[in-house]
């Protein structure tokens, strides 16, 4: 059952990611030439790949797992309350501490990833500008 769930979510996520990239490209083509003077296209394009991959992962398997884990957690708490409500209350008292520590770890990872993406974007921008600046304007003679 898990294989079918993962396959279905991944197929939907892949097509949604492709549609996201296509819409981004069409939006870029609709811009007037002054837009490219103000905004660096190298930095913008370097963000597209990671953004579409994050979108695909979020809509795909991770979304399916999130639904599965949420229903499993709620079902587990209901069953624990049915079997031994005292033990369930002790476990439920620990849940906020686990949640806060998980949120802190996620926040730390997101800021680290954002800084890495920003540095990568700047590096791509510099490389693109350098490549454009040193590209010869005339073609070399052919033999």
């Amino acid at each position: 059952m898990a294989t079918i769930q993962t396959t279905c979510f991944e197929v939907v996520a892949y097509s949604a990611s492709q549609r996201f990239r296509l819409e981004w490209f069409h939006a870029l083509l609709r811009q007037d030439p002054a837009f490219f003077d103000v905004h660096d296209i190298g930095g913008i394009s370097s963000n597209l790949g990671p953004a579409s991959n994050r979108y695909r992962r979020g809509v795909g398997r991770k979304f399916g797992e999130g639904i599965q884990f949420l229903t499993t957690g709620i079902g587990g708490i209901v069953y624990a309350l049915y079997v031994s409500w005292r033990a369930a209350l002790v476990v439920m008292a620990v849940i906020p501490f686990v949640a806060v520590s998980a949120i802190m770890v996620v926040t730390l990872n997101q800021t680290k990833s954002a800084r890495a993406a920003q540095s990568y974007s700047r590096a791509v921008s510099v490389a693109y500008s350098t490549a454009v600046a040193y590209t010869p304007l005339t073609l070399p003679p052919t033999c």
Side-chain angles (χ1 to χ4, degrees), residues 1-127:
M1 190 66 176
T3 304
I4 295 170
Q5 170 190 322
T6 302
T7 303
C8 290
F9 275 109
E10 283 297 317
V11 166
V12 169
Y14 179 76
S15 65
S17 175
Q18 292 299 100
R19 193 168 47 250
F20 172 75
R21 287 178 187 236
L22 192 61
E23 288 294 322
W24 179 85
F25 184 68
H26 286 303
L28 195 60
L29 289 177
R30 285 192 301 265
Q31 302 300 321
D32 58 303
F35 174 83
F36 300 105
D37 292 337
V38 176
H39 295 80
D40 182 28
I41 191 65
I44 292 172
S45 65
S46 70
N47 290 332
L48 175 65
S52 67
N53 287 336
R54 276 194 309 268
Y55 180 75
R56 184 184 51 79
R57 284 192 310 264
V59 173
R61 188 185 64 162
K62 300 241 183 217
F63 183 68
E65 287 175 351
I67 293 171
Q68 179 182 352
F69 295 154
L70 181 67
T71 56
T72 302
I74 291 172
I77 289 172
V78 168
Y79 182 71
L81 287 170
Y82 173 74
V83 172
S84 174
W85 64 271
R86 290 182 183 137
L89 290 177
V90 170
V91 170
M92 287 173 42
V94 175
I95 289 176
F97 298 110
V98 173
V100 166
S101 64
I103 289 171
M104 289 172 48
V105 168
V106 167
T107 304
L108 180 68
N109 284 340
Q110 284 178 342
T111 55
K112 187 177 177 182
S113 297
R115 281 186 285 169
Q118 185 180 20
S119 297
Y120 183 71
S121 175
R122 277 186 273 158
V124 167
S125 174
V126 168

